[in-house]
Amino acid sequence: FRLARRSIGSAARRVPLAFAFDIDGVLIRGPEVIPAAQRALRFLDGHNPLRAKIPFIQITNGGGELESVKVQKLSKQLDFPIYEEQFVQSHTVLRKLVAEYSNKPVLVLGGKGDTGRRIAQHYGFKDVYIPLDVLAWQPSVWPLGAEFISPSDLNIARRADFSRTPIEAVFVLHDPRPSWFLEIQVVTDILRSQYLTAAAPPPKLVFCNPDLLWRGQFPKSRLGQGGFREALMGVYRALEGKEYPYKMFGKPTRETYDFAKNLLRAQLGSDLTHTRIYMVGDNPESDIAGANAAGWHSALVRTGVYDPAHGKPAHEPTFEAEDVDEAVLEAFKREC
Ligand code: G3P
Ligand code: MG
């Protein structure tokens, strides 16, 4: 397919090397493109001593949009074509749960407005609710909500009676908005069966991104979905005096890296035994930990979350580099 033509080129120029790039803090920081990113992508696109096209994928704990929208925006921002076939984001692997939950009522969080609902429906979930639907059902669920949510915001709400709609799974796709308060109120209500007239089993709770911190445009790392998880779990613990079990996807989980390996296999058209894969990331907890567990090499860059001034990284990379361009050159030197 089109990606293979671009990425692999003729087999004669194949090199036993492939890359997995993290995005935030490696290629971009919010709206800013990190200059080294464009140099690195050009190098992989044939502008290297072997004149070889070196395959790569992106694995991000970001999300909140359809993959097709994300790659379009990223291609424009990087001024370099990125394809869905080489792109994994936090909730991409949620598709694994469609077989079990496609016809069951699920609640999804994250994404602007009802984007979360549209993403879940695109994956194949058919009975999808969002916290705004609960507010439309009973505005008093959030006593101060009227100050923050206008009646027009509720136009996207799906009408339902949550006293008779047992939610069977809660999927936190991306960092919730408009305000954590509504999401924490609704999710803890659902985990504690505060709406139902008839008893129902507690729902499955799934987070898609463990990152407590990530690197945007602000010079200090920002709270990610891991911040929301700590807040939500802390409120539940305060209410119930116990932990609520949850499933995690995203980097560094095996599910996400297995999905990424399949993307690389499809791109290379072969298994990965003779290919040395280098993950380039800025977050030791997600990028380096996940790559090391996946049996890949890892390069930790200093353009994002990781700051050497704060001591050694929690997970040892194969090597450290100033930025993604230096990381690609170092891996190329080692392997080619
Ligand atoms: O929400 C995005 C953030 O968690 C990190 O994204 O690209 O560094 O995995 P990334
Ligand atoms: Mg990152």
Side-chain angles (χ1 to χ4, degrees):
F1 43 45
R2 58 175 187 220
L3 184 59
R5 282 201 303 277
R6 178 174 76 81
S7 301
I8 306 289
S10 74
R13 286 177 295 151
R14 275 282 304 277
V15 292
L17 178 61
F19 287 91
F21 291 132
D22 170 42
I23 295 179
D24 294 300
V26 173
L27 302 177
I28 61 173
R29 282 191 291 251
E32 278 171 20
V33 175
I34 296 173
Q38 286 167 321
R39 296 196 297 269
L41 291 169
R42 275 175 52 80
F43 184 91
L44 299 184
D45 202 32
H47 298 272
N48 56 62
L50 297 180
R51 307 199 64 68
K53 298 245 178 178
I54 302 170
F56 66 90
I57 58 171
Q58 270 101 10
I59 321 178
T60 176
N61 275 345
E65 301 256 21
L66 286 170
E67 282 77 7
S68 55
V69 173
K70 271 292 204 190
V71 294
Q72 225 174 21
K73 288 183 176 177
L74 190 58
S75 300
K76 191 157 178 281
Q77 187 176 0
L78 292 171
D79 189 22
F80 188 92
I82 304 290
Y83 300 103
E84 262 191 88
E85 297 93 337
Q86 57 186 144
F87 184 79
V88 194
Q89 61 182 349
S90 54
H91 41 77
T92 304
V93 294
L94 202 65
R95 286 180 167 91
K96 288 169 67 82
L97 300 182
V98 168
E100 187 178 352
Y101 291 96
S102 60
N103 294 308
K104 294 176 179 172
V106 298
L107 180 85
V108 300
L109 278 65
K112 197 156 172 270
D114 66 346
T115 308
R117 187 190 335 265
R118 285 185 284 112
I119 292 168
Q121 289 169 335
H122 178 72
Y123 289 166
F125 298 100
K126 298 184 178 60
D127 195 5
V128 186
Y129 297 93
I130 60 177
L132 278 174
D133 300 344
V134 176
L135 202 58
W137 164 61
Q138 296 277 2
S140 57
V141 157
W142 181 17
L144 302 182
E147 291 175 42
F148 302 95
I149 306 284
S150 70
S152 62
D153 291 333
L154 297 176
N155 289 343
I156 60 173
R158 179 183 170 198
R159 299 299 161 201
D161 175 354
F162 288 92
S163 70
R164 295 180 303 140
T165 307
I167 297 293
E168 301 201 29
V170 176
F171 300 142
V172 185
L173 299 182
H174 192 245
D175 313 7
R177 47 178 90 102
S179 98
W180 285 9
F181 197 101
L182 170 64
E183 280 80 5
I184 289 176
Q185 179 69 75
V186 167
V187 174
T188 49
D189 281 343
I190 288 173
L191 300 184
R192 301 168 69 226
S193 297
Q194 299 294 295
Y195 303 147
L196 292 173
T197 44
K204 182 181 182 80
L205 175 60
V206 180
F207 294 97
C208 294
N209 168 7
D211 287 356
L212 184 62
L213 295 171
W214 69 288
R215 184 61 192 280
Q217 188 176 20
F218 189 75
K220 299 290 181 194
S221 297
R222 302 294 74 200
L223 281 179
Q225 191 181 126
F228 174 74
R229 182 193 72 245
E230 290 301 316
L232 173 67
M233 294 288 92
V235 168
Y236 180 84
R237 194 180 311 117
L239 289 166
E240 294 288 327
K242 61 183 179 181
E243 303 298 327
Y244 194 93
Y246 59 82
K247 173 71 183 164
M248 181 64 78
F249 286 137
K251 298 175 290 182
T253 66
R254 187 183 48 73
E255 287 87 347
T256 291
Y257 278 86
D258 283 352
F259 190 97
K261 283 178 184 172
N262 290 335
L263 286 190
L264 274 170
R265 281 191 195 95
Q267 200 182 136
L268 292 168
S270 67
D271 70 15
L272 304 177
T273 23
H274 304 297
T275 304
R276 310 289 281 261
I277 302 166
Y278 281 76
M279 170 95 204
V280 183
D282 70 304
N283 188 332
E285 312 286 345
S286 55
D287 304 315
I288 307 307
N292 293 350
W296 295 354
H297 296 280
S298 55
L300 178 58
V301 295
R302 304 183 190 107
T303 48
V305 167
Y306 170 59
D307 177 352
H310 296 155
K312 285 173 67 63
H315 299 272
E316 185 67 28
T318 307
F319 62 83
E320 286 190 26
E322 208 43 52
D323 56 37
V324 61
D325 188 31
E326 191 180 289
V328 164
L329 291 174
E330 175 59 25
F332 185 82
K333 253 184 357 207
R334 289 177 179 220
E335 305 300 339
C336 300

